[in-house]
């Protein structure tokens, strides 16, 4: 189909696996009493509030028992283990990768957040991590360690091609390696810039919102994975081609 980046394409099959300091991985294939299991083996489940998983076949591969979470703007997934140091190793290394598949709904672009981490519980304190994919201005924003100064906290890029964030599955990766921040789309480097602020402590983490009942994402999300390292281009390309994070 037209609209994909020419460099790489996410096509929904398992080519291989990627494991370079995997911290947590939620595939959204099942929910148990609102708990989304962590497939990494580190026992860091997410707690789903207000929204639900799709039926089988509703995941990014479109096959078998693959499911995803459908965010309606009213729900979110909280990761309680963020409060006990889930990402302390990433902060210590000043390096992180968040990989995610998204399919925005017809309301995109809208003023919502794909993920958010705060330096305090409940999403408060410093904006430790945040991404808008995109904001209503069709700009993708990737913030760390505060907001919203270019060169310090924020990298951003205009993405006017709506098929890259609405109506079909796309793979995104948000990377920080020291002072370098990157946004990857379907295995290709979409944008890179310098941000000098080191990662700040993370004591709350939300997928699909900017906190409880705030800035809820509109669309489908699948296969969210976090690493306490900056994955290299080969690993990011493999994820976009359908490799398992495990």
């Amino acid at each position: 189909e037209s609209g994909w980046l020419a460099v790489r394409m996410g096509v929904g099959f398992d080519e291989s696996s990627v494991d370079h300091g995997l911290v947590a991985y939620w595939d959204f294939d099942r929910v148990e009493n609102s708990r989304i299991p962590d497939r990494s083996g580190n026992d860091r489940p997410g707690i789903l509030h207000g929204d639900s998983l799709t039926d089988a076949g509703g995941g990014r591969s479109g096959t078998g028992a693959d499911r995803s979470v459908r965010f309606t703007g009213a729900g979110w997934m909280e990761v309680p283990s963020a409060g006990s140091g889930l990402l302390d190793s990433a902060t210590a290394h000043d390096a992180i990768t968040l990989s995610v598949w998204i399919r925005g709904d017809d309301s995109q672009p809208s003023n919502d957040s794909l993920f958010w981490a705060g330096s305090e519980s409940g999403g408060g304190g410093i904006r430790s991590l945040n991404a808008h994919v995109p904001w209503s201005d069709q700009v993708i924003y990737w913030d760390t360690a505060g907001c919203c100064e270019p060169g310090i906290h924020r990298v951003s890029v205009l993405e006017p091609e709506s098929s890259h964030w609405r109506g079909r599955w796309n793979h995104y990766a948000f990377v920080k390696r020291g002072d370098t921040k990157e946004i990857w789309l379907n295995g290709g480097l979409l944008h890179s810039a310098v941000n000098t602020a080191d990662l700040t402590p993370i004591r709350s983490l939300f997928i699909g919102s900017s906190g409880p009942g705030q800035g809820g994402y509109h669309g489908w999300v699948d296969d969210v994975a976090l690493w306490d390292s900056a994955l290299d281009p080969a690993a990011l390309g493999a994820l976009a081609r359908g490799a398992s994070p495990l």
Side-chain angles (χ1 to χ4, degrees), residues 17-236:
S17 63
V18 178
D19 184 2
H20 301 270
L22 183 64
V23 172
Y25 167 41
W26 304 281
D27 64 6
F28 299 104
D29 284 347
R30 71 182 197 276
V31 59
E32 302 164 353
N33 298 319
S34 299
R35 292 165 60 92
I36 304 296
D38 170 21
R39 292 282 315 283
S40 73
N42 294 323
D43 193 24
R44 290 156 173 168
I47 307 298
L48 189 60
H49 299 267
D51 281 323
S52 59
L53 303 188
T54 65
D55 293 336
R60 54 95 180 170
S61 73
T63 61
D66 189 19
R67 293 174 168 85
S68 63
V69 58
R70 169 57 160 125
F71 288 118
T72 63
W76 66 92
M77 186 182 82
E78 183 175 4
V79 183
S81 57
S84 56
L86 166 73
L87 289 168
D88 282 357
S89 54
T91 302
H93 300 153
D94 193 27
I96 194 168
T97 301
L98 188 147
S99 167
V100 57
W101 289 83
I102 67 165
R103 179 186 170 196
D105 70 15
D106 289 344
S107 70
Q108 294 292 352
S110 60
N111 293 344
D112 58 24
S113 287
L114 181 58
F115 60 85
W116 175 282
S119 64
E120 299 175 2
S121 63
I126 299 167
R127 183 187 302 202
S128 297
L129 307 171
N130 181 219
H132 307 297
V133 190
W135 197 245
S136 57
D137 56 5
Q138 300 185 340
V139 174
I140 297 170
Y141 295 94
W142 167 214
D143 294 337
T144 52
C147 182
C148 299
E149 292 294 326
I152 301 175
H153 311 116
R154 167 168 286 180
V155 299
S156 61
V157 59
L158 177 67
E159 180 47 86
E161 176 50 64
S162 64
S163 66
H164 290 162
W165 35 260
R166 182 177 67 209
R168 66 175 64 183
W169 286 104
N170 289 279
H171 180 264
Y172 279 87
F174 298 87
V175 180
K176 188 176 194 297
R177 50 168 58 83
D179 287 349
T180 301
K181 295 257 293 290
E182 300 168 345
I183 301 170
W184 290 74
L185 169 58
N186 296 326
L189 180 60
L190 181 63
H191 186 64
S192 177
V194 169
N195 276 183
T196 57
D198 292 347
L199 286 174
T200 45
I202 293 167
R203 290 296 175 264
S204 54
L205 175 63
F206 301 88
I207 307 299
S209 77
S210 55
Q214 303 177 53
Y217 181 72
H218 297 78
W220 293 261
V221 171
D222 204 1
D223 291 343
V224 176
L226 278 164
W227 290 262
D228 63 357
S229 63
L231 296 188
D232 62 25
L236 295 168

